[in-house]
Amino acid sequence: MKKLKYITSLIIGAATLFSCDLMDSIDNIQPEYQLEEGNYITTPKSAEQALNGIYQGWRAWGISPFRAHISVLSGSLNAGQGISGIEGFATNEVETDNIAIRDFYTANYSIINSANYLIEALGAGKAVGIDSVRNVEIIGECKFHRALAHFMLLRQFGQFYDESSPYGIVLRQEPYRPDSPITARDNVVDSYSSILQDLTDASSTAPEFVYMHDRISRLTAKALKAKVLLYKKDYPEAAALAQEVLNEAANYGYSLELGDWSQLFSQHYLHPETLFAPYTSGTTESCSISIDRTIVGSYTTSLATQWAAKAGIGADLRYTTTFQSTTSLSGNGKYPYATSYPSGSGNGYIFMRLTEVYLIHAEAEARQGANHYAAARASLKVITDRAGYPAELVDQIGDEELLEAIRQHKWIELAAETGEEWFDLVRYTANGDLAFETIKSTLTQAWQFILPIPQKALSGNKLLKQNPEYE
């Protein structure tokens, strides 16, 4: 019988599969162990174990440390010593043989392939005795993970800001097997279509309610879909869906809580604002991050200082909570367990939270013109109010300054979290709203908007074309 690739992550967890020693192109990844095809999903329990392996993939080595790299790419953070593969990120000149982009590329495709195997097995009825409703829910969860991984890859390696571009990503809708043909990358339009279709399906078939937010719900899928629509520049749809998420959030226990902002990050997946954060606990189940080896960037400091001065407050609490130390992020408010693991706590991070949905809604409304400014201001005001700004601050922002104000508050709010400050630099510049070299002097050319396809991926797929200027 044929041997399967990637199945290690389904049964024994992602840690082994995502080991640095196993990284290669998506068409040539060999796990340490292999299982006979057809016998890895046979019961409801094995299906749940397989799903757990996919969730574990989001805290894997190739993905976890990479948020430090994205923050350095934007200048939100500056790199210290000892960050693997950080070379070229500070100067926006990353090479094709960089280990960090290789591991990130491979880890995301591993999640995609694991999701594809589980979708196929459940669709074929392999999990004998599984409840029919749960069978559909797991497939919905898998489609969310496949969409998120494809979106992560598109933003880093595809020209996501230009729908006319042929430089999308290699889409995988079926498991990769030894006899699977290699394929060229799809264009940006098709990449978005695939991602959005998966999220549409997940929005109606994933679990409607989850007790802890280390698992995704239909609301999580809707929130991510609103984000993808924003990137795609479908602003009316993005605004409408973001508003739908905000309207429904309280019905499922999601909320923005006033008070100690840092509690969000010490509780991560347990906090009601969190839409998705991987489960972490203690030292054995944690995200491997490099944030504690960075320091805050000067632009981040200047934004927080300027807005605090404009509002007449002492300091932006989001900034002071995140960057309690001026020399390191070790022990800060967002990653309180960066260097230690108190009993019962985990070193984790949040992929998406409700605050970002307010900011998605604010930007999507603002981009539709004057008739939508009031709605944009209303969502931005929720964020600034919680940050301790005077109630009248948002009303004092001029219409012509509103879009940029949303970007700046999003930068301060999400600094060192998900890399949104970098992707906003790219999107705003591509839209003609910003000159990114005014924020980071090493950004001077459009080819720097995205990273190169890793050399190992090119070596394993002769149809895969490199991004412009990296040839």
Side-chain angles (χ1 to χ4, degrees):
M1 300 175 73
K2 297 179 187 175
K3 301 289 186 177
L4 294 181
K5 297 185 177 183
Y6 296 92
I7 306 306
T8 306
S9 65
L10 295 176
I11 301 299
I12 65 174
T16 302
L17 177 59
F18 298 147
S19 166
C20 292
D21 294 336
L22 306 178
M23 297 304 170
D24 206 334
S25 75
I26 65 167
D27 291 321
N28 189 30
I29 303 176
Q30 297 288 346
E32 186 173 347
Y33 305 106
Q34 295 177 324
L35 301 176
E36 294 291 336
E37 182 170 7
N39 70 359
Y40 65 98
I41 301 295
T42 58
T43 65
K45 182 178 179 179
S46 62
E48 296 289 355
Q49 288 175 329
L51 182 63
N52 288 343
I54 296 170
Y55 275 102
Q56 290 171 14
W58 292 115
R59 65 175 197 238
W61 172 258
I63 294 174
S64 295
F66 200 71
R67 64 178 43 203
H69 294 74
I70 306 175
S71 293
V72 170
L73 202 63
S74 68
S76 172
L77 301 178
N78 292 328
Q81 299 296 316
I83 301 178
S84 176
I86 199 63
E87 299 81 14
F89 280 85
T91 58
N92 302 96
E93 297 176 317
V94 180
E95 300 290 338
T96 61
D97 61 353
N98 182 280
I99 189 173
I101 65 168
R102 182 196 71 182
D103 291 356
F104 180 80
Y105 191 89
T106 308
N108 275 283
Y109 274 113
S110 294
I111 289 173
I112 291 166
N113 210 46
S114 295
N116 284 338
Y117 270 119
L118 187 49
I119 290 170
E120 180 184 76
L122 293 177
K126 295 293 182 67
V128 178
I130 192 171
D131 177 80
S132 60
V133 173
R134 184 59 186 145
N135 196 80
V136 171
E137 286 181 343
I138 294 176
I139 292 174
E141 290 176 82
C142 287
K143 288 187 176 182
F144 172 90
H145 293 299
R146 184 168 68 184
L148 178 56
H150 275 140
F151 186 52
M152 299 272 269
L153 291 162
L154 178 63
R155 292 191 303 171
Q156 293 292 358
F157 302 105
Q159 292 181 334
F160 66 91
Y161 48 86
D162 180 8
E163 278 202 88
S164 67
S165 172
Y167 294 97
I169 55 172
V170 176
L171 294 170
R172 287 287 184 192
Q173 302 295 333
E174 297 178 354
Y176 178 79
R177 294 183 167 88
D179 57 352
S180 297
I182 60 174
T183 56
R185 61 197 299 180
D186 292 87
N187 59 39
V188 172
V189 168
D190 290 343
S191 298
Y192 272 121
S193 295
S194 175
I195 293 166
L196 289 169
Q197 183 59 61
D198 272 348
L199 292 174
T200 297
D201 292 346
S203 295
S204 60
T205 60
E208 184 175 0
F209 176 79
V210 291
Y211 289 98
M212 295 191 302
H213 304 149
D214 61 331
R215 290 295 191 266
I216 68 98
S217 67
R218 295 179 188 181
L219 198 72
T220 315
K222 288 182 181 180
L224 180 58
K225 184 178 178 180
K227 181 173 181 173
V228 174
L229 288 167
L230 180 73
Y231 275 65
K232 188 176 176 286
K233 305 178 188 178
D234 192 342
Y235 302 125
E237 289 296 324
L241 189 55
Q243 186 62 65
E244 182 178 327
V245 171
L246 298 174
N247 291 342
E248 294 179 0
N251 297 334
Y252 299 104
Y254 298 94
S255 66
L256 262 64
E257 292 191 345
L258 300 177
D260 185 356
W261 193 67
S262 66
Q263 289 181 1
L264 166 63
F265 302 98
S266 61
Q267 297 176 8
H268 38 90
Y269 64 87
L270 294 172
H271 196 278
E273 184 184 337
T274 301
L275 288 164
F276 175 52
Y279 172 83
T280 56
S281 179
T283 58
T284 59
E285 295 175 316
S286 62
C287 292
S288 176
I289 58 176
S290 303
I291 293 290
D292 58 317
R293 301 171 190 174
T294 64
I295 58 175
V296 59
S298 59
Y299 180 71
T300 305
T301 301
S302 67
L303 279 185
T305 302
Q306 290 168 18
W307 275 104
K310 185 182 299 186
I313 60 176
D316 187 304
L317 70 84
R318 300 167 297 185
Y319 177 84
T320 55
T321 299
T322 305
F323 305 104
Q324 292 175 356
S325 168
T326 58
T327 58
S328 171
L329 283 185
S330 176
N332 75 92
K334 287 189 177 179
Y335 300 95
Y337 312 124
T339 57
S340 63
Y341 304 88
S343 177
S345 300
N347 174 5
Y349 60 71
I350 297 168
F351 273 88
M352 198 166 190
R353 56 188 175 97
L354 208 55
T355 291
E356 187 177 352
V357 182
Y358 278 99
L359 291 163
I360 290 168
H361 180 258
E363 182 187 338
E365 291 285 9
R367 288 192 178 279
Q368 295 180 71
N371 291 338
H372 297 263
Y373 288 160
R377 291 178 190 279
S379 283
L380 178 59
K381 190 175 184 298
V382 172
I383 305 308
T384 56
D385 281 357
R386 189 175 68 159
Y389 282 82
E392 64 272 14
L393 173 74
V394 173
D395 292 332
Q396 294 171 352
I397 300 171
D399 289 347
E400 70 283 357
E401 300 169 342
L402 182 57
L403 191 62
E404 175 61 8
I406 293 168
R407 186 193 69 81
Q408 291 182 6
H409 278 281
K410 187 177 177 184
W411 183 296
I412 301 169
E413 178 77 36
L414 300 181
E417 287 188 43
T418 60
E420 286 306 301
E421 56 265 44
W422 165 249
F423 299 117
D424 286 351
L425 276 186
V426 174
R427 292 192 304 107
Y428 272 64
T429 300
N431 289 340
D433 306 312
L434 186 71
F436 63 3
E437 65 271 16
T438 63
I439 295 175
K440 195 166 189 233
S441 60
T442 55
L443 286 169
T444 59
Q445 303 292 329
W447 62 267
Q448 295 173 300
F449 282 176
I450 56 176
L451 297 171
I453 299 293
Q455 185 57 52
K456 282 205 169 184
L458 295 169
S459 299
N461 183 350
K462 300 305 181 183
L463 298 180
L464 186 58
K465 188 177 181 180
Q466 181 58 279
N467 287 324
E469 305 301 326
Y470 286 109
E471 292 91 344

